[in-house]
Amino acid sequence: MSKLNEISTAVETGKTKLIAQLVQDGLDAGEKANDILNAMIDAMSIVGDLFSRGEIFVPEMLVAARAMQKGVEVLKPILAGEGSVSLGKCIIGTVSGDLHDIGKNLVSLMIASAGFDVIDLGVDVPSEKFIETIKANPDVKIIACSGLLTTTMQAMKDTVAAINACDVKGYKVMVGGAPITQAFADEIGADAYAVDAGSAAVKAKELLAGAVQ
Ligand code: B1M
Protein backbone atom coordinates (compact mmCIF):
# COMPACT_ATOMS: atom_id res chain seq x y z
CA MET A 1 0.00 0.00 0.00
CA SER A 2 1.38 3.48 -0.85
CA LYS A 3 2.01 5.98 1.95
CA LEU A 4 -0.92 8.13 0.79
CA ASN A 5 -3.26 5.13 0.74
CA GLU A 6 -2.09 4.14 4.20
CA ILE A 7 -2.80 7.66 5.50
CA SER A 8 -6.19 7.79 3.81
CA THR A 9 -7.18 4.37 5.21
CA ALA A 10 -5.99 5.38 8.69
CA VAL A 11 -8.23 8.48 8.64
CA GLU A 12 -11.16 6.53 7.22
CA THR A 13 -10.88 3.92 9.96
CA GLY A 14 -10.17 6.46 12.72
CA LYS A 15 -6.66 5.37 13.66
CA THR A 16 -6.12 8.36 15.97
CA LYS A 17 -3.03 6.90 17.66
CA LEU A 18 -1.23 5.97 14.42
CA ILE A 19 -2.05 8.85 12.13
CA ALA A 20 0.55 11.40 13.32
CA GLN A 21 3.38 8.92 12.77
CA LEU A 22 1.98 7.85 9.40
CA VAL A 23 1.80 11.47 8.23
CA GLN A 24 5.36 12.07 9.48
CA ASP A 25 6.50 8.88 7.68
CA GLY A 26 4.81 10.16 4.52
CA LEU A 27 6.64 13.50 4.76
CA ASP A 28 9.92 11.71 5.47
CA ALA A 29 9.34 9.53 2.41
CA GLY A 30 9.02 12.69 0.28
CA GLU A 31 5.23 13.00 -0.03
CA LYS A 32 4.10 16.63 -0.38
CA ALA A 33 2.09 18.13 2.51
CA ASN A 34 -0.70 19.12 0.10
CA ASP A 35 -0.94 15.61 -1.33
CA ILE A 36 -1.18 14.18 2.20
CA LEU A 37 -3.87 16.74 3.06
CA ASN A 38 -5.83 15.84 -0.08
CA ALA A 39 -5.57 12.14 0.77
CA MET A 40 -7.09 12.89 4.18
CA ILE A 41 -9.84 15.06 2.63
CA ASP A 42 -10.64 12.21 0.20
CA ALA A 43 -10.88 9.86 3.18
CA MET A 44 -13.43 12.18 4.81
CA SER A 45 -15.52 12.08 1.61
CA ILE A 46 -15.50 8.29 1.78
CA VAL A 47 -16.55 8.51 5.44
CA GLY A 48 -19.39 10.86 4.44
CA ASP A 49 -20.55 8.44 1.73
CA LEU A 50 -20.47 5.50 4.16
CA PHE A 51 -22.54 7.57 6.60
CA SER A 52 -25.04 8.49 3.86
CA ARG A 53 -25.44 4.80 3.01
CA GLY A 54 -26.01 3.94 6.69
CA GLU A 55 -22.88 1.79 6.78
CA ILE A 56 -21.31 3.84 9.58
CA PHE A 57 -22.77 6.17 12.21
CA VAL A 58 -21.90 9.43 14.02
CA PRO A 59 -19.30 7.87 16.40
CA GLU A 60 -17.30 6.51 13.43
CA MET A 61 -17.55 9.89 11.68
CA LEU A 62 -16.31 11.56 14.86
CA VAL A 63 -13.34 9.26 15.27
CA ALA A 64 -12.37 9.76 11.61
CA ALA A 65 -12.60 13.52 12.18
CA ARG A 66 -10.30 13.22 15.22
CA ALA A 67 -7.80 11.23 13.17
CA MET A 68 -7.85 13.88 10.44
CA GLN A 69 -7.33 16.65 13.00
CA LYS A 70 -4.30 14.82 14.42
CA GLY A 71 -2.90 14.38 10.91
CA VAL A 72 -3.44 18.06 10.11
CA GLU A 73 -1.55 19.02 13.31
CA VAL A 74 1.58 17.42 11.83
CA LEU A 75 1.13 19.28 8.54
CA LYS A 76 0.26 22.64 10.10
CA PRO A 77 3.77 24.13 10.32
CA ILE A 78 4.42 23.18 6.69
CA LEU A 79 1.07 24.38 5.33
CA ALA A 80 1.23 27.59 7.33
CA GLY A 81 4.56 28.75 5.85
CA GLU A 82 6.34 31.69 7.34
CA GLY A 83 4.18 34.75 6.58
CA SER A 84 5.23 37.63 8.80
CA VAL A 85 3.60 40.73 7.28
CA SER A 86 0.11 41.40 8.66
CA LEU A 87 -2.57 42.10 6.06
CA GLY A 88 -5.18 42.83 8.73
CA LYS A 89 -7.72 40.94 10.80
CA CYS A 90 -10.01 38.15 9.68
CA ILE A 91 -12.88 36.89 11.86
CA ILE A 92 -13.88 33.30 11.09
CA GLY A 93 -16.48 30.90 12.46
CA THR A 94 -18.82 28.05 11.64
CA VAL A 95 -22.38 29.37 11.66
CA SER A 96 -25.02 28.73 14.31
CA GLY A 97 -26.25 25.15 14.67
CA ASP A 98 -23.25 23.70 12.83
CA LEU A 99 -20.48 21.80 14.65
CA HIS A 100 -18.23 20.97 11.69
CA ASP A 101 -14.82 22.58 12.02
CA ILE A 102 -12.20 20.66 10.04
CA GLY A 103 -12.77 22.67 6.86
CA LYS A 104 -13.10 25.91 8.82
CA ASN A 105 -9.82 25.16 10.61
CA LEU A 106 -8.07 24.57 7.28
CA VAL A 107 -9.47 27.83 5.90
CA SER A 108 -8.31 29.58 9.07
CA LEU A 109 -4.83 28.08 8.70
CA MET A 110 -4.51 29.08 5.03
CA ILE A 111 -5.83 32.61 5.63
CA ALA A 112 -3.40 33.02 8.55
CA SER A 113 -0.56 31.77 6.40
CA ALA A 114 -1.54 34.30 3.72
CA GLY A 115 -0.76 36.99 6.30
CA PHE A 116 -4.03 37.73 8.12
CA ASP A 117 -4.42 37.82 11.91
CA VAL A 118 -7.22 35.33 12.38
CA ILE A 119 -9.77 35.57 15.18
CA ASP A 120 -11.38 32.13 15.24
CA LEU A 121 -14.78 32.06 16.94
CA GLY A 122 -15.09 28.28 16.68
CA VAL A 123 -18.28 26.42 15.81
CA ASP A 124 -22.00 27.03 16.34
CA VAL A 125 -21.40 30.78 16.28
CA PRO A 126 -24.54 32.90 16.63
CA SER A 127 -24.74 36.01 14.43
CA GLU A 128 -24.67 38.12 17.62
CA LYS A 129 -21.19 36.76 18.38
CA PHE A 130 -19.96 37.75 14.90
CA ILE A 131 -21.38 41.27 15.41
CA GLU A 132 -19.95 41.59 18.93
CA THR A 133 -16.50 40.59 17.62
CA ILE A 134 -16.74 42.98 14.67
CA LYS A 135 -17.60 45.82 17.07
CA ALA A 136 -14.64 44.90 19.28
CA ASN A 137 -12.39 44.82 16.17
CA PRO A 138 -13.67 47.65 13.91
CA ASP A 139 -10.49 47.45 11.81
CA VAL A 140 -11.38 43.88 10.71
CA LYS A 141 -10.91 43.31 6.97
CA ILE A 142 -12.52 39.90 6.30
CA ILE A 143 -15.41 38.03 7.91
CA ALA A 144 -15.38 34.34 6.93
CA CYS A 145 -18.41 32.11 7.56
CA SER A 146 -18.28 28.35 7.15
CA GLY A 147 -21.21 25.93 6.99
CA LEU A 148 -21.38 22.21 6.21
CA LEU A 149 -25.06 21.40 6.59
CA THR A 150 -27.90 22.20 4.23
CA THR A 151 -29.95 22.76 7.39
CA THR A 152 -27.64 25.57 8.51
CA MET A 153 -27.67 27.42 5.16
CA GLN A 154 -30.49 29.54 6.59
CA ALA A 155 -28.24 30.39 9.58
CA MET A 156 -25.53 31.38 7.08
CA LYS A 157 -28.07 33.64 5.31
CA ASP A 158 -29.19 35.22 8.61
CA THR A 159 -25.58 35.69 9.72
CA VAL A 160 -24.58 37.44 6.50
CA ALA A 161 -27.71 39.64 6.70
CA ALA A 162 -26.85 40.62 10.29
CA ILE A 163 -23.22 41.34 9.36
CA ASN A 164 -24.29 43.43 6.36
CA ALA A 165 -26.66 45.40 8.61
CA CYS A 166 -23.93 46.10 11.19
CA ASP A 167 -23.03 49.78 11.50
CA VAL A 168 -19.29 49.02 11.44
CA LYS A 169 -18.20 49.01 7.77
CA GLY A 170 -14.99 48.50 5.80
CA TYR A 171 -14.78 44.72 5.71
CA LYS A 172 -15.81 42.03 3.20
CA VAL A 173 -17.78 38.87 3.87
CA MET A 174 -16.71 35.49 2.46
CA VAL A 175 -18.69 32.26 2.74
CA GLY A 176 -17.94 28.62 2.00
CA GLY A 177 -18.48 25.00 2.94
CA ALA A 178 -19.75 21.90 1.15
CA PRO A 179 -23.39 22.95 0.44
CA ILE A 180 -22.49 26.58 -0.35
CA THR A 181 -22.25 27.74 -3.97
CA GLN A 182 -21.41 30.97 -5.73
CA ALA A 183 -25.12 31.37 -6.55
CA PHE A 184 -26.05 31.01 -2.87
CA ALA A 185 -23.33 33.45 -1.85
CA ASP A 186 -24.71 35.98 -4.36
CA GLU A 187 -28.27 35.36 -3.19
CA ILE A 188 -27.47 36.05 0.48
CA GLY A 189 -25.34 39.12 -0.23
CA ALA A 190 -21.88 37.76 0.58
CA ASP A 191 -18.97 39.52 -1.13
CA ALA A 192 -17.23 36.27 -2.07
CA TYR A 193 -17.43 32.50 -2.12
CA ALA A 194 -14.49 30.13 -2.00
CA VAL A 195 -14.62 26.44 -2.76
CA ASP A 196 -11.69 25.31 -0.61
CA ALA A 197 -9.12 26.50 1.90
CA GLY A 198 -6.49 27.40 -0.70
CA SER A 199 -8.86 29.52 -2.75
CA ALA A 200 -10.27 31.10 0.43
CA ALA A 201 -6.81 32.50 1.16
CA VAL A 202 -6.49 33.77 -2.42
CA LYS A 203 -10.00 35.30 -2.30
CA ALA A 204 -9.26 36.97 1.05
CA LYS A 205 -6.26 38.74 -0.49
CA GLU A 206 -8.26 39.68 -3.61
CA LEU A 207 -11.04 41.08 -1.43
CA LEU A 208 -8.49 43.18 0.39
CA ALA A 209 -7.25 44.56 -2.90
CA GLY A 210 -10.86 45.23 -3.98
CA ALA A 211 -10.48 42.81 -6.89
CA VAL A 212 -13.60 40.77 -6.06
CA GLN A 213 -16.95 42.51 -6.08
CO1 B1M B 1 -21.32 15.56 9.63
N1 B1M B 1 -22.36 15.73 7.99
N2 B1M B 1 -22.97 15.62 10.67
N3 B1M B 1 -20.18 15.25 11.15
N4 B1M B 1 -19.96 15.19 8.43
C1 B1M B 1 -21.61 15.86 6.73
C2 B1M B 1 -21.36 17.33 6.39
C3 B1M B 1 -22.57 15.13 5.69
C4 B1M B 1 -22.38 15.62 4.23
C5 B1M B 1 -22.34 13.59 5.78
C6 B1M B 1 -23.26 12.83 4.86
O1 B1M B 1 -24.42 12.66 5.17
N5 B1M B 1 -22.77 12.38 3.73
C7 B1M B 1 -23.94 15.45 6.31
C8 B1M B 1 -24.61 16.73 5.86
C9 B1M B 1 -25.74 16.47 4.93
C10 B1M B 1 -26.40 17.72 4.52
O2 B1M B 1 -26.52 18.67 5.21
N6 B1M B 1 -26.86 17.68 3.28
C11 B1M B 1 -23.61 15.47 7.78
C12 B1M B 1 -24.56 15.27 8.82
C13 B1M B 1 -25.95 14.89 8.37
C14 B1M B 1 -24.24 15.40 10.18
C15 B1M B 1 -25.18 15.26 11.39
C16 B1M B 1 -26.57 15.91 11.21
C17 B1M B 1 -25.29 13.76 11.68
C18 B1M B 1 -26.23 13.39 12.81
O3 B1M B 1 -26.06 13.81 13.93
N7 B1M B 1 -27.21 12.63 12.45
C19 B1M B 1 -24.37 15.93 12.51
C20 B1M B 1 -24.65 17.45 12.60
C21 B1M B 1 -23.99 18.06 13.79
C22 B1M B 1 -24.04 19.58 13.72
O4 B1M B 1 -23.19 20.17 13.09
N8 B1M B 1 -25.03 20.17 14.34
C23 B1M B 1 -22.97 15.71 12.01
C24 B1M B 1 -21.88 15.55 12.85
C25 B1M B 1 -20.59 15.31 12.42
C26 B1M B 1 -19.44 15.01 13.38
C27 B1M B 1 -19.47 15.87 14.64
C28 B1M B 1 -19.51 13.55 13.75
C29 B1M B 1 -18.20 15.22 12.44
C30 B1M B 1 -17.60 16.66 12.49
C31 B1M B 1 -16.39 16.74 13.39
C32 B1M B 1 -15.67 18.05 13.19
O5 B1M B 1 -15.80 18.78 12.22
N9 B1M B 1 -14.88 18.34 14.19
C33 B1M B 1 -18.83 15.07 11.06
C34 B1M B 1 -18.09 14.81 9.88
C35 B1M B 1 -16.64 14.46 10.07
C36 B1M B 1 -18.65 14.87 8.59
C37 B1M B 1 -18.00 14.56 7.22
C38 B1M B 1 -17.88 13.04 7.12
C39 B1M B 1 -16.65 15.17 6.95
C40 B1M B 1 -16.59 16.70 7.08
C41 B1M B 1 -15.17 17.15 6.90
O6 B1M B 1 -14.50 17.46 7.88
N10 B1M B 1 -14.65 17.09 5.65
C42 B1M B 1 -19.06 15.17 6.22
C43 B1M B 1 -19.11 14.44 4.89
C44 B1M B 1 -18.33 15.17 3.82
O7 B1M B 1 -17.92 16.29 3.94
N11 B1M B 1 -18.19 14.51 2.69
C45 B1M B 1 -20.25 15.30 7.06
C46 B1M B 1 -13.27 17.42 5.37
C47 B1M B 1 -13.09 18.95 5.27
C48 B1M B 1 -11.67 19.30 4.91
O8 B1M B 1 -13.93 19.38 4.23
O9 B1M B 1 -15.45 20.65 5.81
O10 B1M B 1 -16.05 20.37 3.35
P1 B1M B 1 -15.03 20.53 4.40
O11 B1M B 1 -14.22 21.87 4.11
C49 B1M B 1 -13.74 22.14 2.80
C50 B1M B 1 -14.68 23.01 1.95
O12 B1M B 1 -16.05 22.80 2.27
C51 B1M B 1 -14.18 24.40 2.14
O13 B1M B 1 -12.78 24.25 2.41
C52 B1M B 1 -12.50 22.97 2.99
C53 B1M B 1 -11.41 22.23 2.23
O14 B1M B 1 -10.36 22.96 1.84
N12 B1M B 1 -14.72 25.25 3.18
C54 B1M B 1 -14.69 26.61 3.03
C55 B1M B 1 -15.24 24.98 4.39
N13 B1M B 1 -15.55 26.11 5.04
C56 B1M B 1 -15.22 27.14 4.22
C57 B1M B 1 -15.31 28.52 4.39
C58 B1M B 1 -14.85 29.35 3.35
C59 B1M B 1 -14.35 28.80 2.16
C60 B1M B 1 -14.25 27.43 1.99
O15 B1M B 1 -14.89 30.68 3.40
C61 B1M B 1 -15.30 31.32 4.57
Side-chain angles (χ1 to χ4, degrees):
M1 200 190 279
S2 78
K3 283 282 171 216
L4 292 180
N5 283 339
E6 250 183 278
I7 290 167
S8 168
T9 305
V11 168
E12 201 187 311
T13 52
K15 297 284 185 291
T16 51
K17 293 198 175 127
L18 297 180
I19 189 70
Q21 190 57 52
L22 286 174
V23 169
Q24 190 56 55
D25 290 349
L27 290 171
D28 294 345
E31 299 290 356
K32 292 196 179 76
N34 260 320
D35 293 340
I36 295 177
L37 179 63
N38 286 332
M40 293 197 288
I41 291 176
D42 289 348
M44 294 309 281
S45 298
I46 295 170
V47 168
D49 291 344
L50 291 170
F51 177 78
S52 293
R53 295 203 299 269
E55 291 175 36
I56 63 166
F57 301 96
V58 170
E60 286 94 336
M61 253 200 316
L62 199 53
V63 87
R66 287 206 190 112
M68 168 133 191
Q69 278 159 341
K70 284 186 185 290
V72 170
E73 282 302 313
V74 180
L75 297 179
K76 242 182 187 173
I78 303 165
L79 294 172
E82 290 182 357
S84 58
V85 185
S86 176
L87 296 177
K89 291 177 187 167
C90 167
I91 296 170
I92 189 167
T94 302
V95 296
S96 180
D98 201 323
L99 302 175
H100 295 84
D101 69 353
I102 297 178
K104 184 266 297 166
N105 291 345
L106 285 173
V107 172
S108 173
L109 178 69
M110 296 311 282
I111 288 182
S113 68
F116 289 87
D117 297 320
V118 176
I119 301 171
D120 191 336
L121 302 179
V123 296
D124 189 15
V125 182
S127 56
E128 295 81 6
K129 182 71 186 165
F130 276 101
I131 302 300
E132 185 188 305
T133 315
I134 291 168
K135 288 188 172 166
N137 296 275
D139 55 343
V140 62
K141 301 288 184 222
I142 307 286
I143 320 292
C145 303
S146 176
L148 261 283
L149 297 170
T150 45
T151 47
T152 52
M153 288 170 77
Q154 182 62 42
M156 171 90 73
K157 183 178 177 178
D158 296 344
T159 302
V160 172
I163 294 170
N164 284 340
C166 176
D167 48 11
V168 179
K169 301 289 175 205
Y171 48 79
K172 301 280 186 185
V173 184
M174 174 163 55
V175 294
I180 310 302
T181 60
Q182 180 67 57
F184 183 70
D186 293 341
E187 184 193 318
I188 65 174
D191 297 298
Y193 158 76
V195 70
D196 58 25
S199 40
V202 172
K203 279 271 163 73
K205 287 214 257 185
E206 286 174 355
L207 283 169
L208 201 64
V212 175
Q213 296 309 310

